[in-house]
mmCIF file of all heavy atoms in Angstrom:
data_model
loop_
_atom_site.group_PDB
_atom_site.id
_atom_site.type_symbol
_atom_site.label_atom_id
_atom_site.label_comp_id
_atom_site.label_asym_id
_atom_site.label_seq_id
_atom_site.Cartn_x
_atom_site.Cartn_y
_atom_site.Cartn_z
ATOM 1 N N ASP A 135 67.023 68.968 115.916
ATOM 2 C CA ASP A 135 65.635 68.597 116.245
ATOM 3 C C ASP A 135 64.712 68.579 115.023
ATOM 4 O O ASP A 135 63.562 68.142 115.128
ATOM 5 C CB ASP A 135 65.067 69.555 117.299
ATOM 6 C CG ASP A 135 65.701 69.339 118.662
ATOM 7 O OD1 ASP A 135 66.186 68.217 118.922
ATOM 8 O OD2 ASP A 135 65.729 70.298 119.465
ATOM 9 N N ASN A 136 65.197 69.050 113.894
ATOM 10 C CA ASN A 136 64.385 69.103 112.680
ATOM 11 C C ASN A 136 64.140 67.677 112.158
ATOM 12 O O ASN A 136 65.091 66.977 111.809
ATOM 13 C CB ASN A 136 65.103 69.942 111.611
ATOM 14 C CG ASN A 136 64.282 70.125 110.362
ATOM 15 O OD1 ASN A 136 63.383 69.348 110.058
ATOM 16 N ND2 ASN A 136 64.602 71.170 109.618
ATOM 17 N N PRO A 137 62.893 67.239 112.081
ATOM 18 C CA PRO A 137 62.604 65.861 111.632
ATOM 19 C C PRO A 137 62.982 65.619 110.167
ATOM 20 O O PRO A 137 63.104 64.469 109.754
ATOM 21 C CB PRO A 137 61.095 65.713 111.848
ATOM 22 C CG PRO A 137 60.555 67.088 111.991
ATOM 23 C CD PRO A 137 61.682 67.976 112.439
ATOM 24 N N GLU A 138 63.184 66.673 109.394
ATOM 25 C CA GLU A 138 63.536 66.510 107.987
ATOM 26 C C GLU A 138 65.039 66.323 107.778
ATOM 27 O O GLU A 138 65.473 66.039 106.664
ATOM 28 C CB GLU A 138 63.040 67.713 107.185
ATOM 29 C CG GLU A 138 61.518 67.790 107.141
ATOM 30 C CD GLU A 138 61.030 68.996 106.342
ATOM 31 O OE1 GLU A 138 61.801 69.529 105.521
ATOM 32 O OE2 GLU A 138 59.876 69.392 106.556
ATOM 33 N N LEU A 139 65.834 66.463 108.850
ATOM 34 C CA LEU A 139 67.286 66.286 108.737
ATOM 35 C C LEU A 139 67.599 64.819 108.448
ATOM 36 O O LEU A 139 67.092 63.923 109.132
ATOM 37 C CB LEU A 139 67.978 66.725 110.035
ATOM 38 C CG LEU A 139 69.510 66.695 110.031
ATOM 39 C CD1 LEU A 139 70.072 67.694 109.010
ATOM 40 C CD2 LEU A 139 70.048 66.989 111.422
ATOM 41 N N GLN A 140 68.416 64.577 107.420
ATOM 42 C CA GLN A 140 68.783 63.215 107.044
ATOM 43 C C GLN A 140 69.538 62.543 108.190
ATOM 44 O O GLN A 140 70.288 63.189 108.923
ATOM 45 C CB GLN A 140 69.662 63.221 105.800
ATOM 46 C CG GLN A 140 68.965 63.682 104.553
ATOM 47 C CD GLN A 140 69.901 63.712 103.350
ATOM 48 O OE1 GLN A 140 71.033 63.259 103.409
ATOM 49 N NE2 GLN A 140 69.402 64.267 102.258
ATOM 50 N N ALA A 141 69.365 61.248 108.312
ATOM 51 C CA ALA A 141 69.949 60.483 109.418
ATOM 52 C C ALA A 141 71.478 60.615 109.475
ATOM 53 O O ALA A 141 72.050 60.741 110.556
ATOM 54 C CB ALA A 141 69.549 59.020 109.316
ATOM 55 N N ASN A 142 72.134 60.577 108.313
ATOM 56 C CA ASN A 142 73.597 60.662 108.324
ATOM 57 C C ASN A 142 74.064 62.036 108.817
ATOM 58 O O ASN A 142 75.054 62.137 109.554
ATOM 59 C CB ASN A 142 74.192 60.326 106.952
ATOM 60 C CG ASN A 142 73.679 61.211 105.835
ATOM 61 O OD1 ASN A 142 72.554 61.718 105.885
ATOM 62 N ND2 ASN A 142 74.481 61.385 104.803
ATOM 63 N N TRP A 143 73.345 63.105 108.457
ATOM 64 C CA TRP A 143 73.698 64.445 108.930
ATOM 65 C C TRP A 143 73.396 64.580 110.427
ATOM 66 O O TRP A 143 74.125 65.232 111.157
ATOM 67 C CB TRP A 143 72.954 65.517 108.132
ATOM 68 C CG TRP A 143 73.528 65.688 106.748
ATOM 69 C CD1 TRP A 143 72.952 65.313 105.569
ATOM 70 C CD2 TRP A 143 74.798 66.242 106.417
ATOM 71 N NE1 TRP A 143 73.785 65.606 104.517
ATOM 72 C CE2 TRP A 143 74.924 66.184 105.006
ATOM 73 C CE3 TRP A 143 75.848 66.785 107.160
ATOM 74 C CZ2 TRP A 143 76.062 66.639 104.339
ATOM 75 C CZ3 TRP A 143 76.973 67.241 106.490
ATOM 76 C CH2 TRP A 143 77.067 67.161 105.100
ATOM 77 N N ARG A 144 72.325 63.952 110.880
ATOM 78 C CA ARG A 144 71.976 63.986 112.304
ATOM 79 C C ARG A 144 73.091 63.324 113.126
ATOM 80 O O ARG A 144 73.481 63.800 114.176
ATOM 81 C CB ARG A 144 70.646 63.288 112.577
ATOM 82 C CG ARG A 144 70.206 63.379 114.046
ATOM 83 C CD ARG A 144 68.856 62.724 114.313
ATOM 84 N NE ARG A 144 67.807 63.023 113.347
ATOM 85 C CZ ARG A 144 67.163 64.187 113.236
ATOM 86 N NH1 ARG A 144 67.441 65.158 114.052
ATOM 87 N NH2 ARG A 144 66.238 64.354 112.312
ATOM 88 N N CYS A 145 73.619 62.225 112.625
ATOM 89 C CA CYS A 145 74.698 61.507 113.324
ATOM 90 C C CYS A 145 75.953 62.382 113.419
ATOM 91 O O CYS A 145 76.570 62.492 114.482
ATOM 92 C CB CYS A 145 75.001 60.199 112.590
ATOM 93 S SG CYS A 145 76.254 59.208 113.399
ATOM 94 N N VAL A 146 76.311 63.020 112.321
ATOM 95 C CA VAL A 146 77.480 63.912 112.309
ATOM 96 C C VAL A 146 77.258 65.068 113.277
ATOM 97 O O VAL A 146 78.130 65.406 114.090
ATOM 98 C CB VAL A 146 77.760 64.439 110.880
ATOM 99 C CG1 VAL A 146 78.802 65.548 110.896
ATOM 100 C CG2 VAL A 146 78.191 63.303 109.971
ATOM 101 N N LEU A 147 76.089 65.674 113.207
ATOM 102 C CA LEU A 147 75.762 66.806 114.075
ATOM 103 C C LEU A 147 75.746 66.385 115.542
ATOM 104 O O LEU A 147 76.186 67.133 116.421
ATOM 105 C CB LEU A 147 74.419 67.410 113.662
ATOM 106 C CG LEU A 147 73.980 68.689 114.363
ATOM 107 C CD1 LEU A 147 75.050 69.777 114.288
ATOM 108 C CD2 LEU A 147 72.667 69.181 113.769
ATOM 109 N N GLN A 148 75.267 65.191 115.814
ATOM 110 C CA GLN A 148 75.243 64.674 117.181
ATOM 111 C C GLN A 148 76.664 64.593 117.750
ATOM 112 O O GLN A 148 76.916 65.025 118.876
ATOM 113 C CB GLN A 148 74.592 63.287 117.197
ATOM 114 C CG GLN A 148 74.480 62.668 118.568
ATOM 115 C CD GLN A 148 73.804 61.313 118.505
ATOM 116 O OE1 GLN A 148 73.954 60.568 117.532
ATOM 117 N NE2 GLN A 148 73.046 60.982 119.531
ATOM 118 N N HIS A 149 77.584 64.062 116.963
ATOM 119 C CA HIS A 149 78.976 63.974 117.409
ATOM 120 C C HIS A 149 79.575 65.370 117.606
ATOM 121 O O HIS A 149 80.299 65.618 118.574
ATOM 122 C CB HIS A 149 79.808 63.169 116.415
ATOM 123 C CG HIS A 149 79.555 61.704 116.496
ATOM 124 N ND1 HIS A 149 78.559 61.082 115.787
ATOM 125 C CD2 HIS A 149 80.161 60.735 117.213
ATOM 126 C CE1 HIS A 149 78.567 59.800 116.059
ATOM 127 N NE2 HIS A 149 79.524 59.555 116.922
ATOM 128 N N PHE A 150 79.292 66.266 116.671
ATOM 129 C CA PHE A 150 79.823 67.629 116.777
ATOM 130 C C PHE A 150 79.300 68.327 118.024
ATOM 131 O O PHE A 150 80.060 68.940 118.780
ATOM 132 C CB PHE A 150 79.472 68.442 115.525
ATOM 133 C CG PHE A 150 80.003 69.840 115.574
ATOM 134 C CD1 PHE A 150 81.340 70.106 115.328
ATOM 135 C CD2 PHE A 150 79.161 70.914 115.891
ATOM 136 C CE1 PHE A 150 81.847 71.408 115.394
ATOM 137 C CE2 PHE A 150 79.654 72.206 115.956
ATOM 138 C CZ PHE A 150 80.997 72.446 115.702
ATOM 139 N N LEU A 151 77.997 68.238 118.264
ATOM 140 C CA LEU A 151 77.414 68.875 119.445
ATOM 141 C C LEU A 151 77.948 68.247 120.735
ATOM 142 O O LEU A 151 78.229 68.958 121.708
ATOM 143 C CB LEU A 151 75.882 68.794 119.400
ATOM 144 C CG LEU A 151 75.221 69.706 118.368
ATOM 145 C CD1 LEU A 151 73.751 69.349 118.199
ATOM 146 C CD2 LEU A 151 75.385 71.169 118.753
ATOM 147 N N PHE A 152 78.124 66.937 120.725
ATOM 148 C CA PHE A 152 78.697 66.270 121.899
ATOM 149 C C PHE A 152 80.096 66.818 122.172
ATOM 150 O O PHE A 152 80.459 67.091 123.317
ATOM 151 C CB PHE A 152 78.733 64.750 121.686
ATOM 152 C CG PHE A 152 79.165 63.982 122.895
ATOM 153 C CD1 PHE A 152 78.279 63.729 123.926
ATOM 154 C CD2 PHE A 152 80.462 63.511 123.012
ATOM 155 C CE1 PHE A 152 78.663 63.018 125.049
ATOM 156 C CE2 PHE A 152 80.863 62.800 124.124
ATOM 157 C CZ PHE A 152 79.965 62.551 125.151
ATOM 158 N N SER A 153 80.868 67.008 121.116
ATOM 159 C CA SER A 153 82.207 67.581 121.252
ATOM 160 C C SER A 153 82.133 69.007 121.795
ATOM 161 O O SER A 153 82.918 69.390 122.671
ATOM 162 C CB SER A 153 82.924 67.571 119.894
ATOM 163 O OG SER A 153 84.182 68.182 119.997
ATOM 164 N N CYS A 154 81.173 69.785 121.299
ATOM 165 C CA CYS A 154 81.000 71.163 121.774
ATOM 166 C C CYS A 154 80.694 71.204 123.272
ATOM 167 O O CYS A 154 81.264 71.998 124.012
ATOM 168 C CB CYS A 154 79.863 71.857 121.032
ATOM 169 S SG CYS A 154 80.224 72.292 119.334
ATOM 170 N N PHE A 155 79.796 70.333 123.701
ATOM 171 C CA PHE A 155 79.333 70.369 125.091
ATOM 172 C C PHE A 155 80.307 69.723 126.073
ATOM 173 O O PHE A 155 80.301 70.048 127.251
ATOM 174 C CB PHE A 155 77.946 69.739 125.215
ATOM 175 C CG PHE A 155 76.866 70.574 124.583
ATOM 176 C CD1 PHE A 155 76.021 70.040 123.638
ATOM 177 C CD2 PHE A 155 76.711 71.909 124.920
ATOM 178 C CE1 PHE A 155 75.030 70.819 123.044
ATOM 179 C CE2 PHE A 155 75.725 72.694 124.324
ATOM 180 C CZ PHE A 155 74.877 72.146 123.385
ATOM 181 N N THR A 156 81.148 68.811 125.582
ATOM 182 C CA THR A 156 82.101 68.148 126.482
ATOM 183 C C THR A 156 83.511 68.703 126.367
ATOM 184 O O THR A 156 84.313 68.533 127.274
ATOM 185 C CB THR A 156 82.173 66.633 126.195
ATOM 186 O OG1 THR A 156 82.632 66.440 124.850
ATOM 187 C CG2 THR A 156 80.833 65.963 126.418
ATOM 188 N N GLY A 157 83.827 69.320 125.232
ATOM 189 C CA GLY A 157 85.188 69.803 125.006
ATOM 190 C C GLY A 157 86.142 68.702 124.569
ATOM 191 O O GLY A 157 87.348 68.923 124.480
ATOM 192 N N LEU A 158 85.604 67.526 124.295
ATOM 193 C CA LEU A 158 86.449 66.404 123.886
ATOM 194 C C LEU A 158 86.783 66.485 122.401
ATOM 195 O O LEU A 158 85.983 66.945 121.595
ATOM 196 C CB LEU A 158 85.752 65.071 124.171
ATOM 197 C CG LEU A 158 85.587 64.696 125.640
ATOM 198 C CD1 LEU A 158 84.730 63.440 125.763
ATOM 199 C CD2 LEU A 158 86.936 64.483 126.295
ATOM 200 N N ARG A 159 87.965 65.992 122.063
ATOM 201 C CA ARG A 159 88.377 65.900 120.673
ATOM 202 C C ARG A 159 87.671 64.717 120.008
ATOM 203 O O ARG A 159 87.220 63.786 120.686
ATOM 204 C CB ARG A 159 89.887 65.686 120.578
ATOM 205 C CG ARG A 159 90.692 66.846 121.122
ATOM 206 C CD ARG A 159 92.152 66.536 121.067
ATOM 207 N NE ARG A 159 92.435 65.383 121.916
ATOM 208 C CZ ARG A 159 93.645 64.937 122.191
ATOM 209 N NH1 ARG A 159 94.690 65.514 121.678
ATOM 210 N NH2 ARG A 159 93.811 63.894 122.967
ATOM 211 N N ILE A 160 87.640 64.734 118.689
ATOM 212 C CA ILE A 160 86.995 63.664 117.933
ATOM 213 C C ILE A 160 87.626 62.319 118.278
ATOM 214 O O ILE A 160 86.925 61.331 118.481
ATOM 215 C CB ILE A 160 87.074 63.945 116.414
ATOM 216 C CG1 ILE A 160 86.185 65.131 116.062
ATOM 217 C CG2 ILE A 160 86.677 62.707 115.607
ATOM 218 C CD1 ILE A 160 86.352 65.646 114.659
ATOM 219 N N SER A 161 88.954 62.268 118.369
ATOM 220 C CA SER A 161 89.622 60.994 118.667
ATOM 221 C C SER A 161 89.203 60.452 120.031
ATOM 222 O O SER A 161 89.088 59.238 120.217
ATOM 223 C CB SER A 161 91.141 61.154 118.600
ATOM 224 O OG SER A 161 91.587 62.124 119.533
ATOM 225 N N ASP A 162 88.958 61.339 120.996
ATOM 226 C CA ASP A 162 88.510 60.889 122.311
ATOM 227 C C ASP A 162 87.056 60.413 122.256
ATOM 228 O O ASP A 162 86.697 59.403 122.863
ATOM 229 C CB ASP A 162 88.655 62.008 123.348
ATOM 230 C CG ASP A 162 90.112 62.311 123.666
ATOM 231 O OD1 ASP A 162 90.932 61.374 123.627
ATOM 232 O OD2 ASP A 162 90.429 63.478 123.958
ATOM 233 N N ILE A 163 86.236 61.135 121.523
ATOM 234 C CA ILE A 163 84.828 60.738 121.386
ATOM 235 C C ILE A 163 84.719 59.355 120.760
ATOM 236 O O ILE A 163 83.901 58.538 121.176
ATOM 237 C CB ILE A 163 84.044 61.792 120.562
ATOM 238 C CG1 ILE A 163 83.918 63.084 121.376
ATOM 239 C CG2 ILE A 163 82.677 61.269 120.154
ATOM 240 C CD1 ILE A 163 83.376 64.252 120.599
ATOM 241 N N GLN A 164 85.588 59.071 119.802
ATOM 242 C CA GLN A 164 85.557 57.768 119.145
ATOM 243 C C GLN A 164 85.928 56.635 120.101
ATOM 244 O O GLN A 164 85.551 55.493 119.888
ATOM 245 C CB GLN A 164 86.496 57.761 117.940
ATOM 246 C CG GLN A 164 86.000 58.633 116.810
ATOM 247 C CD GLN A 164 87.016 58.794 115.703
ATOM 248 O OE1 GLN A 164 88.228 58.749 115.922
ATOM 249 N NE2 GLN A 164 86.528 59.008 114.489
ATOM 250 N N ARG A 165 86.636 56.941 121.170
ATOM 251 C CA ARG A 165 87.059 55.914 122.132
ATOM 252 C C ARG A 165 86.045 55.681 123.248
ATOM 253 O O ARG A 165 86.148 54.700 123.987
ATOM 254 C CB ARG A 165 88.408 56.324 122.756
ATOM 255 C CG ARG A 165 89.552 56.295 121.754
ATOM 256 C CD ARG A 165 90.906 56.711 122.348
ATOM 257 N NE ARG A 165 91.126 56.240 123.691
ATOM 258 C CZ ARG A 165 91.327 57.046 124.748
ATOM 259 N NH1 ARG A 165 91.330 58.347 124.603
ATOM 260 N NH2 ARG A 165 91.536 56.543 125.942
ATOM 261 N N ILE A 166 85.082 56.575 123.400
ATOM 262 C CA ILE A 166 84.113 56.450 124.495
ATOM 263 C C ILE A 166 83.235 55.217 124.299
ATOM 264 O O ILE A 166 82.766 54.938 123.198
ATOM 265 C CB ILE A 166 83.245 57.720 124.606
ATOM 266 C CG1 ILE A 166 84.103 58.889 125.064
ATOM 267 C CG2 ILE A 166 82.091 57.503 125.579
ATOM 268 C CD1 ILE A 166 83.369 60.211 125.077
ATOM 269 N N GLN A 167 83.035 54.499 125.411
ATOM 270 C CA GLN A 167 82.178 53.319 125.415
ATOM 271 C C GLN A 167 81.168 53.449 126.550
ATOM 272 O O GLN A 167 81.318 54.299 127.431
ATOM 273 C CB GLN A 167 83.021 52.058 125.616
ATOM 274 C CG GLN A 167 84.043 51.837 124.518
ATOM 275 C CD GLN A 167 84.959 50.659 124.819
ATOM 276 O OE1 GLN A 167 84.744 49.911 125.764
ATOM 277 N NE2 GLN A 167 85.984 50.519 124.007
ATOM 278 N N ALA A 168 80.177 52.582 126.553
ATOM 279 C CA ALA A 168 79.138 52.621 127.585
ATOM 280 C C ALA A 168 79.732 52.498 128.984
ATOM 281 O O ALA A 168 79.230 53.106 129.936
ATOM 282 C CB ALA A 168 78.120 51.508 127.340
ATOM 283 N N LYS A 169 80.817 51.758 129.126
ATOM 284 C CA LYS A 169 81.439 51.569 130.441
ATOM 285 C C LYS A 169 81.994 52.873 131.022
ATOM 286 O O LYS A 169 82.280 52.950 132.212
ATOM 287 C CB LYS A 169 82.552 50.520 130.364
ATOM 288 C CG LYS A 169 83.772 50.954 129.566
ATOM 289 C CD LYS A 169 84.826 49.872 129.522
ATOM 290 C CE LYS A 169 86.056 50.340 128.751
ATOM 291 N NZ LYS A 169 87.067 49.293 128.668
ATOM 292 N N HIS A 170 82.141 53.894 130.181
ATOM 293 C CA HIS A 170 82.656 55.186 130.643
ATOM 294 C C HIS A 170 81.564 56.060 131.272
ATOM 295 O O HIS A 170 81.873 57.135 131.779
ATOM 296 C CB HIS A 170 83.341 55.941 129.493
ATOM 297 C CG HIS A 170 84.567 55.249 128.994
ATOM 298 N ND1 HIS A 170 84.688 54.822 127.696
ATOM 299 C CD2 HIS A 170 85.718 54.898 129.613
ATOM 300 C CE1 HIS A 170 85.864 54.237 127.529
ATOM 301 N NE2 HIS A 170 86.505 54.268 128.677
ATOM 302 N N ILE A 171 80.328 55.612 131.199
ATOM 303 C CA ILE A 171 79.231 56.369 131.819
ATOM 304 C C ILE A 171 78.893 55.678 133.135
ATOM 305 O O ILE A 171 78.390 54.547 133.170
ATOM 306 C CB ILE A 171 78.010 56.458 130.889
ATOM 307 C CG1 ILE A 171 78.414 57.165 129.598
ATOM 308 C CG2 ILE A 171 76.853 57.175 131.595
ATOM 309 C CD1 ILE A 171 77.371 57.201 128.533
ATOM 310 N N ILE A 172 79.204 56.373 134.221
ATOM 311 C CA ILE A 172 79.011 55.820 135.562
ATOM 312 C C ILE A 172 78.098 56.766 136.341
ATOM 313 O O ILE A 172 78.396 57.952 136.488
ATOM 314 C CB ILE A 172 80.374 55.648 136.280
ATOM 315 C CG1 ILE A 172 81.286 54.724 135.472
ATOM 316 C CG2 ILE A 172 80.172 55.154 137.705
ATOM 317 C CD1 ILE A 172 82.711 54.647 135.943
#
Side-chain angles (χ1 to χ4, degrees):
D135 289 335
N136 184 337
E138 293 180 21
L139 184 64
Q140 293 178 8
N142 58 331
W143 286 109
R144 184 178 315 287
C145 183
V146 170
L147 186 53
Q148 181 179 33
H149 285 88
F150 181 77
L151 288 168
F152 186 80
S153 177
C154 287
F155 290 126
T156 61
L158 291 173
R159 296 177 298 187
I160 291 170
S161 60
D162 290 327
I163 291 170
Q164 291 171 331
R165 292 180 38 241
I166 292 175
Q167 299 174 8
K169 68 180 182 182
H170 295 120
I171 300 174
I172 301 171

